[in-house]
Amino acid sequence: MKLPETTFPVLWLYGLSGAGKTTMAKGLQLHFRNAGIPVVILDGDELREGLNKSLGFTQEDRRENIRRTAEIASVLSKQGIFVITALITPLEEHRQLAREIIGAERLLDVFVDCPFDVCEYRDVKGLYAKARKKEISSFTGIGSSFDTPADPFLHLTTHEHTREECLQTLIQVVTPLLNTPTVFTNAQLLQA
Amino acid sequence: MKLPETTFPVLWLYGLSGAGKTTMAKGLQLHFRNAGIPVVILDGDELREGLNKSLGFTQEDRRENIRRTAEIASVLSKQGIFVITALITPLEEHRQLAREIIGAERLLDVFVDCPFDVCEYRDVKGLYAKARKKEISSFTGIGSSFDTPADPFLHLTTHEHTREECLQTLIQVVTPLLNTPTVFTNAQLLQA
């Protein structure tokens, strides 16, 4: 993959709640920042507290949530920021929407895969318990579906590998795709 | 002003269409990028083509446009990105909203000031002519008001100074407020 000099790809991490998306994103951010690459996480949970706080979990709102995130990722990556997203992105049509907005050649989609049972057992945020008690409706995996992707750019199984192993895999795959422009010219900026 | 080590301020450029907001933003981005600072422009015109494309120019939509931009700026600046916005931000209540979301201590509001007549004469994008012919409704300065700020962080008059002079003023004022963290620790990232 050959990218224009000032454009980074977007790493789109998706999977069930509790599968490890945010953990992966934070580990990668630390690594790439220290390598001198400007990197930003767009985390679904965090965006829902601010930018997307008027959005709920209907199909329409989930789609709008993903559309907005993809639009921001696109703007940032064109300005030389490496964007990592962490959103459930439950349906194939959501991933397709992100691909259309960002550009198929720039979107690296990573399926952060962990079986439903394991995510429910971990239940880091207590959301699975709430969904079982019907305190949350339209929870992905309970009352709202998740499409297993057919052919992701990368398929990580977080129940079969340690956090460190998963991070190393990601770093090895992503690093060659990042170039590190240090000096920008006016021409490059106007192009961006 | 003392900022936490991984947080940059947000430079909020506002003023009439054609006053020079985007020009200033692009010049600053070039300067600070080459100084090794990760910097992003959130430009109102560009965001209206993607993130905000369903928003029009009613008071409600203008407010939502500013709310979303401020929320994104907040997320990015907390992750060590220097954000420069370029939005008309016509009303004092809009600037107040941005201040509430970003934090008064982190928002540097810069009034990019140029008299209405001069902006109309420049009419870089042909928008003033369209507004006069009523092809655009609710155009700031023609049918939609602009509050002159009482006490901006910085007041630039782009009709009285050259582009280069304005940029130098901005660079001199902003540079001491930017620290340049190069190595992040886990503790700092978790705090962010």
Side-chain angles (χ1 to χ4, degrees), chain B residues 65-78:
Chain B
N65 183 28
I66 285 153
R67 187 193 71 80
R68 289 185 193 174
T69 308
E71 292 284 8
I72 301 165
S74 175
V75 165
L76 298 180
S77 75
K78 282 180 195 160

Side-chain angles (χ1 to χ4, degrees), chain A residues 115-166:
Chain A
F116 180 87
D117 295 349
V118 179
C119 290
E120 184 169 19
Y121 177 77
R122 290 179 184 169
D123 205 6
V124 191
K125 303 169 210 154
L127 295 175
Y128 285 83
K130 284 188 183 175
R132 286 289 184 205
K133 288 188 218 159
K134 305 207 170 156
E135 290 170 20
I136 302 175
S137 63
S138 190
F139 187 77
T140 305
I142 304 173
S144 188
S145 56
F146 183 89
D147 295 342
T148 301
D151 185 26
F153 171 77
L154 187 67
H155 184 173
L156 279 184
T157 49
T158 63
H159 57 302
E160 294 175 335
H161 301 279
T162 65
R163 173 185 172 283
E164 207 42 51
E165 284 169 352
C166 291

Side-chain angles (χ1 to χ4, degrees), chain B residues 14-25:
Chain B
Y14 61 106
L16 295 175
S17 176
K21 301 181 295 299
T22 301
T23 303
M24 290 298 112

Side-chain angles (χ1 to χ4, degrees), chain A residues 13-185:
Chain A
L13 307 178
Y14 61 106
L16 295 175
S17 177
K21 301 182 294 298
T22 300
T23 303
M24 289 298 113
K26 294 229 170 198
L28 288 175
Q29 183 174 48
L30 183 63
H31 173 85
F32 286 113
R33 263 189 180 171
N34 286 336
I37 292 172
V39 52
V40 155
I41 298 173
L42 299 179
D43 189 285
D45 289 343
E46 189 185 0
L47 294 179
R48 280 186 177 279
E49 287 171 19
L51 174 70
N52 294 333
K53 70 178 162 194
S54 66
L55 300 178
F57 291 88
T58 62
Q59 285 311 322
E60 196 184 350
D61 281 4
R62 281 176 186 262
R63 190 185 152 85
E64 175 64 7
N65 183 29
I66 285 154
R67 188 193 70 81
R68 289 185 192 173
T69 309
E71 293 282 9
I72 301 165
S74 175
V75 165
L76 298 179
S77 75
K78 283 179 194 159
Q79 294 188 54
I81 306 289
F82 176 37
V83 179
I84 303 170
T85 69
L87 284 94
I88 298 174
T89 328
L91 304 183
E92 270 302 319
E93 67 171 82
H94 297 150
R95 298 157 205 160
Q96 187 51 35
L97 177 64
R99 216 169 275 126
E100 279 163 21
I101 291 170
I102 292 165
E105 75 292 354
R106 290 203 288 131
L107 188 133
L108 311 177
D109 72 302
V110 177
F111 178 28
V112 182
D113 184 14
C114 181
F116 180 87
D117 295 349
V118 179
C119 290
E120 184 169 19
Y121 177 77
R122 290 179 184 169
D123 205 6
V124 191
K125 303 169 210 154
L127 295 175
Y128 285 83
K130 284 188 183 175
R132 286 289 184 205
K133 288 188 218 159
K134 305 207 170 156
E135 290 170 20
I136 302 175
S137 63
S138 190
F139 187 77
T140 305
I142 304 173
S144 188
S145 56
F146 183 89
D147 295 342
T148 301
D151 185 26
F153 171 77
L154 187 67
H155 184 173
L156 279 184
T157 49
T158 63
H159 57 302
E160 294 175 335
H161 301 279
T162 65
R163 173 185 172 283
E164 207 42 51
E165 284 169 352
C166 291
L167 276 176
Q168 284 311 315
T169 301
L170 274 164
I171 289 167
Q172 279 171 29
V173 170
V174 172
T175 302
L177 303 175
L178 299 178
N179 45 35
T180 57
T182 50
V183 175
F184 290 82
T185 63

